[in-house]
Amino acid sequence: MNTQYPIIVALDKPDESLARSVVGNLCGRVSGFKLGLPLLLGIGLQGVRQLRSLCREGIWIADLKAADVFHVLKLTYELVSDIADYIIAHAFIGYRGALEALPPSRLILVASMSHEGSREVIDKCQTLVAKVVDSIRPWGIVAPATRPEVIRYFRSLLGKRTKILSPGIGVQGARPGSAICAGADYEIVGRSIVEAPSPIEAFETIHREAVKVISKCRSVI
Ligand code: BMP
């Protein structure tokens, strides 16, 4: 497993043969895979089971961005608990009657998002969202690589006990390695790798750039 650059590859495109080729080629070289809704709906749970059988290493995340009431969250979790190590849900839905349905040790909460619209609502409630995260203490949170100040805020609030996963690298504008430098534990990269003419070459280029950026920022700490 690559520890120099902790990267999770986002598989979103509902293209089973593409996903199988990416997983087959990058298994053991990346920290894990995040399965997006289009892929989950497109290839189905059985397709995902077969995909996972290609790679027993690393972290597997079901990115459902769930935001529902207790019984629906519970049913959803039961469906994906054998195919993924972690499930992503929104923090803003709160604990009572909702997030209490999910085991914190297998939960990743969205604390803030990488797109501009995150400032319109979610980020305006940052202290309330932080309170939910702090009281649940999930395994991890999602915080955007596109706004490193948000990563720093959650890192200083949560200390080292909660993992921070940061999307927004590459196509969305953030530089490989920059979120790790701001305090994230993992960077999430999707299209820059998966939709590149050669995903392996794209991974290697991103990896090289990230290692350079990370070693530079670590040398000034
Ligand atoms: P890409 O590297 O292709 O932009 O993909 C980013 C991935 O991270 C997608 O799977 C998306 O669902 C996810 N993501 C995001 O882009 N912003 C967020 O705030 C939260 C996410 O999970």
Side-chain angles (χ1 to χ4, degrees):
M1 173 111 31
N2 161 36
T3 47
Q4 260 188 316
Y5 178 40
I7 176 178
I8 291 173
V9 174
L11 300 168
D12 289 307
K13 233 181 166 183
D15 179 334
E16 192 163 2
S17 70
L18 176 66
R20 289 175 73 87
S21 147
V22 170
V23 168
N25 283 306
L26 294 182
C27 180
R29 304 183 71 186
V30 297
S31 302
F33 298 95
K34 183 176 79 64
L35 312 165
L37 262 185
L39 179 85
L40 283 163
L41 294 172
I43 74 171
L45 294 176
Q46 201 44 37
V48 172
R49 263 181 213 108
Q50 283 165 8
L51 189 62
R52 188 158 188 185
S53 71
L54 300 176
C55 181
R56 297 282 173 205
E57 291 177 53
I59 296 166
W60 284 71
I61 300 168
D63 185 3
L64 301 169
K65 297 217 175 53
D68 218 315
V69 292
F70 185 99
H71 71 285
V72 179
L73 284 180
K74 197 160 184 298
L75 288 170
T76 309
Y77 173 73
E78 284 163 4
L79 279 174
V80 296
S81 64
D82 73 311
I83 54 161
D85 306 302
Y86 302 100
I87 175 174
I88 298 185
H90 270 291
F92 67 74
I93 61 174
Y95 179 70
R96 281 189 293 152
L99 290 171
E100 63 182 319
L102 306 172
S105 61
R106 297 187 65 185
L107 179 60
I108 298 171
L109 288 175
V110 178
S112 172
M113 294 189 71
S114 57
H115 65 301
E116 266 307 304
S118 187
R119 297 180 202 265
E120 293 168 18
V121 179
I122 304 182
D123 290 3
K124 284 199 163 61
C125 309
Q126 197 173 66
T127 7
L128 296 174
V129 167
K131 232 173 162 175
V132 172
V133 170
D134 199 30
S135 65
I136 293 177
R137 299 196 182 184
W139 179 81
I141 64 162
V142 174
T146 47
R147 287 198 300 291
E149 67 281 6
V150 178
I151 299 175
R152 284 189 210 102
Y153 169 82
F154 280 101
R155 176 55 74 214
S156 69
L157 178 88
L158 301 169
K160 273 283 171 198
R161 68 173 186 260
T162 307
K163 306 286 182 205
I164 298 180
L165 292 78
S166 292
I169 304 289
V171 175
Q172 294 186 49
R175 200 175 169 199
S178 62
I180 302 288
C181 286
D185 296 283
Y186 298 97
E187 292 187 355
I188 295 171
V189 184
R191 289 163 293 175
S192 302
I193 290 177
V194 178
E195 293 182 23
S198 162
I200 304 187
E201 277 175 29
F203 161 75
E204 281 166 355
T205 306
I206 287 171
H207 183 279
R208 266 196 305 277
E209 187 180 352
V211 169
K212 225 187 287 166
V213 169
I214 294 166
S215 55
K216 202 163 164 195
C217 77
R218 293 215 166 130
S219 71
V220 293
I221 291 172

